[in-house]
Amino acid sequence: MTTSPKTPTWKEVLGDRIPAAMAEEIDTFESQMELRRQGKLEDKVFAELRLRRGAYGQRYDNGFRYDGEKSQEIAFPHKDWTKGPDTKWEAPGMQRIKLPYGGVTAEQMEVLADAAEEYSDSIIHITTRQDVQLHFISLEDTPDMHRRLAAVGITTREACGNSVRNVTACPLAGICRDEAFDVTGYANETAQYFLGHRDVQDFGRKFKVAFSGCKTNPCGLTSMHDMGLIATTKVIDGEEKQGFEMYVGGGLGSVPQLARLFSDFVTPEELLPLSQAIARVFARLGEKKNRNKARIKFLVQKLGIEEFRRLVYEERALLENDPGWTQWLKDLQGYTESALPAPAVGEAIAHGPDFDQWRKTNLYAQRQTGFYTVTITLPLGDLTAQQLRGLADITRRYTKDTARTTVEQNIVLRWIHEADLPALYRDLKTIDLHAAGAESIIDITACPGTDTCKLGIGSSRGLAGELRRRLAVKGWQYDESVKDIRIKISGCFNSCSQHMVAEIGFYGSSRLVDRRRVPHFHLILGGQWSENAAHYGQSLGVIPSKRVPEVVEFLVDLYMQERQPGEKFHQVVNRVGKKLIKDRLEPFTAIPSYSEDPSFYRDWADDREFTLGDIGVGECAGEVVSLTDFGVATAESMHFDATILLEESGDPAKVQQSADKAFEAMASAAQALLKLQNIDISNDADVIVADFRKYFYDTELFFDPFAKGKFASYFFSAQEQYRQPATLERAQQLIEESRLFIEAAHECYARMLQQGITSPVSFQQWYLNRQIAAQA
Amino acid sequence: MDLVRFCVKFSAQTQADWDEVVLIETFQRWIREESLPGVLLDAVDYRHVPAGPGIMLVTHEVNYAMEHQNGYGLSAQRKVTTAGNGVGDLVDLIQRTAQFAQLLEKDPQGAGKVKFNLDRFYFMGNDRLALPNNEAGFQTAQTLIQGAIAQLLPGQTVALEKVTNDARNRLTVAIQSANPITLDQLVG
């Protein structure tokens, strides 16, 4: 290597600028990396350690990649080096960087820009939890990257892993016209208090916290968090006091759950001790072995909110007093922001109609008269290092460093003098950050999907990019009637883009057509972004990926034709009815044959033949195969019927029927698979469950590579409660679980075909071979 | 400090009918057919980012991007050493970049539509400690570049000019040749 003996390291250069505790953590991590290289630190342990530094895995890090024709082994120079179970050391990873409440300074922007250029691909990505992510990172670079971030007050500690993740908050906190009070300080102090806290180190799963300034608007999304705090006030002894409604046990994930009200009023003094007590109960009683049941929502569901609350207060009473709970309260004023004393430029600059359009869509009039919050629309949450440096300059020029990221993957600049808006727009234009349409129909949220995520099924970003291009041309972002329709796209059912609370949501899926995989997306309608995202949408089934843009156009046209004055999109969907909509979407589900149009068999922005891994074209076994196809399709139809029944959720009989139908749909899918084992499989649900358990669960044939037996457990649990009185909530949950089970049945079927299990004879052969291998 | 992280950039001219979307298929095919040296990993679509990386081909050793930033062209970002020394790594990077450019010019998707201009190409430091954007960094870069050019183009004279830019940006050096340079010469 060409070296310069006088060139110092980042550790030396930054020296005391890195807080001592953070410096020590990073040094420790660097040592752990060395121990791992020497094989002295177990794979699994190191994986959790690096996750707790935000150093995440990326797609293909198992060392294999499907190239469109075959699975190719990636020839990393040192294939034996690993950074986790089945994870190659040299495979590019992702670095997640926390920004509590989304707050980011100009100086931090510059360091993020440098890190993106030197260690990544020059792109900074804003996530749906107000974090920053950098992709294609080498693990070797992470200690220095962490040092440079630490020197400007950013930690990556616990950005991933089974701990408290980034604490999010409304990006309008402190300037919002509707808030009860500014939650910024509370969000940041909560984040700092729990960072590395001993009581959050023993969770079975991640824990996400969000703060909202008000109940009605969606910025905080508290309903879908493990712990959500909504600012509120209460008159106590004749005096108005500030406090929080506290919610627990919410989450999207594969089966969305609304958070439950834990307390209608938590004082600021009790915010941290009560949160700590919740953490201790979660650590003590939460599931640890079965990852799929380890979020706090399952614990709350299992115990019931009353018992959970009792346990938490019991724990609270035992906690030793910690001055850290309250000593920051007296300094809360330090979080209060303000504007520059006068406009920075104040110049009257002539702009074209683009400026007027931008004003209409990208500005929020703050409650402080004369000031605006400007949203910088970032396409798919991305911007270049150069753009971010330019934005740092703009932040300094027009604000007192008051910028924040948002869960819609944008950045907002707060406290802009009205007189500065023309000059600001001019400056944003020079760095191509002047796009209008913020938070509109073209401002589509998408998770990384198959671009980089190991769990991705569909190309969420590819689809989002295509939709943006098509919808922008239509100008819908300026059309008052439709501009507020939000589209969110996830690469899989894990809801990282929050598709369940979008007006139009999608998540990645696939279907087998003529033995070939075809990328699809589930269409989710009925979600509501308002009221802190308290209403989740439902699936209307799958649409071929390449037809999704047409479907979006169809849905928007339908809305424009059918809406009554003042009606919002979800209201029209509910009034017209999902069944009618689904019927009218039927023509969009047609897939041309491969010879007619092979593009359907590839996903957006990816020219490879679509795959979920090594699955390719299986063997045709005639009659039995078509019976399974038919059976799974029947299951889908029954699932949809269950969904429709719930549209009359005020009728307890319909709710019950819906719950029962959801189970019956699962049984139908299970029976369809069992036909490959026994063509004469009974219609009796108990027999189906028993045989499914024996041939598909105990053998792990049904297991999903990542979710393992999670989806099968939904089926067994549903059978236990079949025909028992069902609440609306239980029926909704069963419908979601049924959807996932049917998806898993599709995938299981595809895997079986690929393995040559296409008939009762081949099934028997496979089963016998498995038993022999198990006994060996 | 190891001198490993730096970039080169070749400007490109394109025909009116050039649509960069074809690069997605092209890069996926190159990965499948192992058309370039190195460990080829993935094609990444950044067309939605204005003045951004366009479409990238990510490899273990080098990130290639047909980017729009500072003019359309091929940017190659070195990430790991292959030669074990700075000059060797720069030679290797330039050769790989030239190979990429040549492949694209000859590819069915690029033939007649994309042409690279090597009369003036660029070196960017991508390590703010080893190659700061100042006079000292420029001196280090000059030694590196001259060493590489001496190996790639023996006897050829090039003028090196530090590009004036924002001090926070990467050190950028324009490499101007007195005589035309071809891709064949650089591929070696």
Side-chain angles (χ1 to χ4, degrees):
Chain A
M1 304 258 178
T2 299
T3 58
S4 166
K6 294 181 186 166
T7 310
T9 63
W10 278 109
K11 188 172 169 177
E12 289 159 351
V13 163
L14 294 171
D16 292 343
R17 283 168 55 193
I18 306 173
M22 289 169 90
E24 192 182 329
E25 280 169 25
I26 298 167
D27 288 346
T28 301
F29 178 60
E30 199 164 32
S31 304
Q32 289 162 349
M33 283 174 60
E34 184 52 36
L35 286 171
R36 178 64 213 135
R37 273 194 218 97
Q38 293 172 19
K40 292 178 182 170
L41 190 56
E42 200 193 323
D43 233 356
K44 197 165 87 167
V45 172
F46 180 73
E48 182 63 22
L49 289 169
R50 71 169 160 77
L51 284 171
R52 295 211 184 193
R53 296 295 319 168
Y56 216 73
Q58 255 187 225
R59 209 167 176 87
Y60 317 124
D61 67 4
N62 63 351
F64 289 91
R65 180 181 180 277
Y66 185 71
D67 66 10
E69 290 175 1
K70 63 192 179 303
S71 180
Q72 230 178 11
E73 189 177 3
I74 303 173
F76 290 116
H78 303 93
K79 281 189 268 189
D80 294 337
W81 294 3
T82 58
K83 55 184 174 182
D86 204 28
T87 314
K88 302 296 179 192
W89 183 273
E90 290 163 321
M94 176 267 280
Q95 178 66 56
R96 184 172 294 151
I97 297 164
K98 290 161 73 170
L99 298 174
Y101 69 88
V104 61
T105 66
E107 188 186 26
Q108 290 170 340
M109 289 181 192
E110 286 166 341
V111 173
L112 287 166
D114 290 353
E117 272 178 347
E118 294 184 42
Y119 306 125
S120 177
D121 56 4
S122 296
I123 291 290
I124 297 92
H125 175 72
I126 309 298
T127 76
T128 56
R129 293 208 77 250
Q130 295 176 300
D131 293 310
V132 161
Q133 275 175 198
L134 302 179
H135 293 96
F136 301 103
I137 300 286
S138 164
L139 187 64
E140 301 285 355
D141 289 331
T142 49
D144 274 349
M145 186 193 338
H146 295 178
R147 289 184 178 108
R148 291 166 79 172
L149 293 169
V152 290
I154 293 176
T155 181
T156 66
R157 185 175 183 178
E158 292 165 6
C160 306
N162 297 332
S163 191
V164 177
R165 300 287 186 89
N166 192 35
V167 174
T168 59
C170 305
L172 302 180
I175 49 155
C176 177
R177 297 190 296 266
D178 304 310
E179 67 181 9
F181 58 86
D182 185 357
V183 298
T184 305
Y186 297 96
N188 194 49
E189 294 297 334
T190 301
Q192 301 312 321
Y193 183 76
F194 284 113
L195 185 65
H197 195 286
R198 65 167 195 273
D199 286 337
V200 304
Q201 303 305 312
D202 194 27
F203 289 164
R205 224 33 191 102
K206 55 190 162 184
F207 190 83
K208 295 182 180 178
V209 182
F211 280 80
S212 256
C214 71
K215 201 161 179 170
T216 50
N217 292 323
C219 318
L221 304 177
T222 45
S223 305
M224 56 185 217
H225 276 76
D226 297 288
M227 188 168 80
L229 294 309
I230 301 180
T232 188
T233 56
K234 191 173 182 178
V235 176
I236 299 174
D237 297 331
E239 202 180 325
E240 187 175 89
K241 300 278 190 191
Q242 294 181 344
F244 297 94
E245 287 184 12
M246 180 184 265
Y247 292 81
V248 291
L252 289 181
S254 49
V255 180
Q257 300 243 12
L258 288 174
R260 314 279 183 98
L261 180 66
F262 179 88
S263 169
D264 65 359
F265 195 80
V266 173
T267 64
E269 291 78 10
E270 276 301 299
L271 172 63
L272 291 183
L274 212 49
S275 302
Q276 186 181 349
I278 287 172
R280 287 171 68 90
V281 169
F282 179 41
R284 184 158 51 89
L285 299 177
E287 173 63 39
K288 299 270 170 66
K289 286 189 185 148
N290 183 351
R291 197 182 144 77
N292 298 316
K293 294 275 189 193
R295 295 291 290 275
I296 197 171
K297 65 183 179 186
F298 295 106
L299 179 64
V300 171
Q301 197 178 36
K302 181 174 139 187
L303 294 171
I305 189 64
E306 299 295 334
E307 175 62 5
F308 181 80
R309 188 184 295 118
R310 186 193 72 75
L311 286 165
V312 168
Y313 280 113
E314 189 178 78
E315 191 71 36
R316 169 66 186 98
L318 298 172
L319 283 178
E320 202 177 300
N321 187 55
D322 181 354
W325 290 337
T326 54
Q327 64 194 23
W328 50 276
L329 286 170
K330 62 182 178 354
D331 300 320
L332 262 180
Q333 276 296 107
Y335 285 100
T336 304
E337 293 175 353
S338 62
L340 293 175
V345 174
E347 206 178 312
I349 299 168
H351 283 298
D354 53 327
F355 174 66
D356 295 327
Q357 286 175 333
W358 176 82
R359 277 199 73 128
K360 272 192 203 158
T361 58
N362 288 41
L363 301 192
Y364 177 84
Q366 297 182 193
R367 73 161 184 274
Q368 298 89 1
T369 308
F371 296 98
Y372 287 82
T373 289
V374 171
T375 300
I376 316 288
T377 321
L378 302 179
L380 308 189
D382 292 341
L383 73 167
T384 66
Q386 208 153 298
Q387 285 178 309
L388 190 56
R389 279 191 202 100
L391 191 57
D393 290 339
I394 289 171
T395 302
R396 287 193 180 102
R397 187 172 309 134
Y398 295 99
T399 79
K400 280 190 187 174
D401 240 350
T402 50
R404 300 197 188 185
T405 57
T406 79
V407 297
E408 298 202 79
Q409 301 178 303
N410 294 321
I411 293 175
V412 296
L413 295 181
R414 300 145 53 96
W415 292 101
I416 306 296
H417 283 270
E418 185 169 9
D420 272 335
L421 289 174
L424 174 67
Y425 181 73
R426 174 201 61 196
D427 289 351
L428 288 173
K429 219 170 175 177
T430 64
I431 55 173
D432 278 308
L433 287 181
H434 62 295
E439 296 171 10
S440 74
I441 192 171
I442 67 160
D443 193 6
I444 299 167
T445 306
C447 70
T450 52
D451 277 25
T452 52
C453 178
K454 293 200 274 192
L455 304 180
I457 296 173
S459 177
S460 42
R461 281 168 59 92
L463 175 58
E466 181 65 22
L467 276 173
R468 277 190 82 250
R469 278 186 284 276
R470 292 205 199 186
L471 299 183
V473 166
K474 289 179 176 296
W476 280 345
Q477 64 272 35
Y478 310 121
D479 185 333
E480 280 301 320
S481 59
V482 301
K483 75 177 182 65
D484 291 332
I485 295 174
R486 276 182 167 78
I487 301 175
K488 295 181 185 292
I489 306 172
S490 299
C492 73
F493 47 77
N494 284 311
S495 307
C496 295
S497 81
Q498 300 138 2
H499 59 259
M500 299 300 281
V501 296
E503 276 79 14
I504 303 175
F506 294 99
Y507 75 86
S509 181
S510 84
R511 288 294 181 267
L512 216 57
V513 174
D514 292 335
R515 310 293 173 265
R516 289 182 189 271
R517 288 256 176 213
V518 179
H520 282 65
F521 279 87
H522 268 271
L523 168 64
I524 308 291
L525 292 182
Q528 268 179 256
W529 190 240
S530 59
E531 295 182 31
N532 254 301
H535 299 272
Y536 299 153
Q538 290 172 316
S539 172
L540 267 72
V542 292
I543 305 289
S545 181
K546 292 299 174 74
R547 290 218 194 267
V548 168
E550 296 169 68
V551 164
V552 169
E553 289 170 4
F554 165 80
L555 289 170
V556 174
D557 285 340
L558 176 79
Y559 170 62
M560 290 202 278
Q561 285 158 24
E562 297 283 343
R563 72 191 181 104
Q564 292 164 3
E567 243 188 347
K568 295 204 170 161
F569 184 84
H570 74 273
Q571 291 169 318
V572 171
V573 166
N574 291 338
R575 180 171 57 75
V576 169
K578 295 192 182 79
K579 181 169 187 344
L580 182 76
I581 296 174
K582 185 175 166 79
D583 288 343
R584 293 182 64 181
L585 286 172
E586 187 60 34
F588 294 101
T589 62
I591 298 165
S593 68
Y594 185 81
S595 54
E596 281 174 316
D597 192 346
S599 73
F600 271 72
Y601 299 76
R602 302 183 181 117
D603 212 341
W604 295 103
D606 190 336
D607 203 64
R608 293 173 291 172
E609 296 269 320
F610 183 74
T611 182
L612 295 185
D614 292 332
I615 298 174
V617 178
E619 292 178 15
C620 175
E623 189 70 17
V624 173
V625 166
S626 65
L627 282 173
T628 301
D629 279 327
F630 183 72
V632 179
T634 301
E636 293 211 5
S637 179
M638 292 170 76
H639 170 266
F640 184 68
D641 289 343
T643 306
I644 294 303
L645 281 165
L646 260 198
E647 286 190 339
E648 297 177 64
S649 58
D651 182 347
K654 289 277 172 23
V655 170
Q656 186 65 46
Q657 284 170 33
S658 173
D660 293 342
K661 184 70 75 176
F663 166 70
E664 289 157 15
M666 288 196 237
S668 178
Q671 186 187 40
L673 289 176
L674 280 163
K675 285 192 188 293
L676 284 163
Q677 179 269 328
N678 172 13
I679 198 166
D680 295 316
I681 179 69
S682 167
N683 290 327
D684 184 310
D686 289 341
V687 172
I688 292 171
V689 171
D691 279 8
F692 180 84
R693 185 184 288 277
K694 177 178 177 182
Y695 292 109
F696 283 83
Y697 182 79
D698 291 346
T699 61
E700 300 186 3
L701 180 59
F702 191 76
F703 276 27
D704 176 270
F706 293 103
K708 305 294 179 195
K710 170 163 107 166
F711 305 128
S713 69
Y714 293 156
F715 181 39
F716 301 140
S717 165
Q719 188 225 7
E720 285 166 14
Q721 298 178 48
Y722 184 46
R723 296 208 194 279
Q724 287 181 20
T727 61
L728 173 61
E729 198 180 338
R730 177 65 185 146
Q732 287 169 332
Q733 185 181 338
L734 274 168
I735 283 175
E736 295 309 313
E737 291 176 354
S738 179
R739 170 174 59 82
L740 289 163
F741 181 84
I742 295 168
E743 274 298 302
H746 273 289
E747 294 314 315
C748 178
Y749 177 44
R751 287 196 301 275
M752 289 169 75
L753 292 185
Q754 194 261 341
Q755 288 178 54
I757 307 170
T758 56
S759 67
V761 170
S762 52
F763 191 103
Q764 185 66 4
Q765 189 61 54
W766 170 83
Y767 188 66
L768 273 171
N769 288 343
R770 202 175 184 291
Q771 285 185 307
I772 291 167
Q775 283 162 11
Chain B
M1 175 64 57
D2 306 329
L3 278 171
V4 171
R5 280 205 293 270
F6 37 72
C7 314
V8 295
K9 181 164 179 178
F10 297 166
S11 302
Q13 281 90 47
T14 56
Q15 296 301 305
D17 60 344
W18 170 249
D19 185 349
E20 63 178 336
V21 72
V22 303
L23 291 172
I24 297 174
E25 182 275 327
T26 306
F27 293 169
Q28 294 286 8
R29 177 163 37 86
W30 289 359
I31 295 171
R32 187 166 58 248
E33 295 171 358
E34 298 177 34
S35 305
L36 289 169
V39 180
L40 309 187
L41 293 172
D42 207 6
V44 187
D45 180 10
Y46 281 124
R47 284 176 294 155
H48 55 278
V49 181
I55 295 174
M56 295 185 74
L57 171 60
V58 177
T59 82
H60 173 63
E61 300 85 358
V62 176
N63 284 347
Y64 302 95
M66 285 297 291
E67 67 167 16
H68 296 270
Q69 188 165 281
N70 302 323
Y72 195 54
L74 170 60
S75 165
Q77 171 196 352
R78 159 130 252 143
K79 298 189 288 186
V80 298
T81 183
T82 47
N85 65 81
V87 169
D89 280 331
L90 181 54
V91 167
D92 180 70
L93 180 64
I94 294 173
Q95 287 176 324
R96 286 177 191 245
T97 311
Q99 205 169 340
F100 182 113
Q102 211 171 44
L103 191 64
L104 186 56
E105 281 186 354
K106 290 178 182 168
D107 191 274
Q109 297 282 20
K113 293 184 185 170
V114 181
K115 192 103 181 83
F116 292 94
N117 177 5
L118 300 169
D119 293 343
R120 184 179 170 90
F121 64 98
Y122 298 88
F123 168 93
M124 284 88 76
N126 200 28
D127 183 332
R128 284 170 172 80
L129 272 190
L131 290 164
N133 190 8
N134 56 26
E135 192 53 37
F138 178 52
Q139 296 297 329
T140 307
Q142 273 188 312
T143 307
L144 198 66
I145 297 167
Q146 279 160 354
I149 295 294
Q151 283 190 32
L152 285 166
L153 303 166
Q156 191 132 341
T157 309
V158 295
L160 303 183
E161 177 195 339
K162 182 180 178 305
V163 172
T164 304
N165 58 9
D166 187 320
R168 297 170 301 176
N169 286 354
R170 296 187 277 208
L171 168 74
T172 304
V173 180
I175 303 165
Q176 181 89 42
S177 168
N179 302 308
I181 302 175
T182 65
L183 286 172
D184 279 336
Q185 284 177 287
L186 293 181
V187 166

